[in-house]
Amino acid sequence: AEISYQSENENIATVTNGGAISGVAAGYTTITVTAAATTNYKETTKTFTINVKKSTTGSLPDPEIGSSTDWE
């Protein structure tokens, strides 16, 4: 079944076609997930309320790519 995702308020959070959610600003919004109808199943929808909280730590450090720098 084809699945789609939608954010009620993209000023709070966005959601990709693959379902990855990114916070934009602090606040609450609803994410709606819809599975399209198929031959055997009716369309179905589920909603989730999320709370995006303001970061209190500033920017995140760059992630480490690997623990080894010994290239051969």
Side-chain angles (χ1 to χ4, degrees):
E2 184 177 322
I3 298 176
S4 63
Y5 305 87
Q6 184 174 1
S7 172
E8 182 178 87
N9 186 343
E10 292 190 344
N11 293 318
I12 301 296
T14 60
V15 60
T16 67
N17 291 338
I21 299 169
S22 296
V24 175
Y28 287 89
T29 191
T30 300
I31 303 297
T32 302
V33 182
T34 302
T38 65
T39 305
N40 298 317
Y41 300 99
K42 295 179 182 179
E43 179 180 283
T44 188
T45 299
K46 179 71 178 169
T47 59
F48 301 90
T49 299
I50 63 168
N51 180 12
V52 178
K53 295 184 179 181
K54 182 178 177 182
S55 172
T56 58
T57 58
S59 59
L60 296 174
D62 291 333
E64 291 184 15
I65 306 260
S67 59
S68 175
T69 57
D70 191 15
W71 297 88
E72 292 183 18

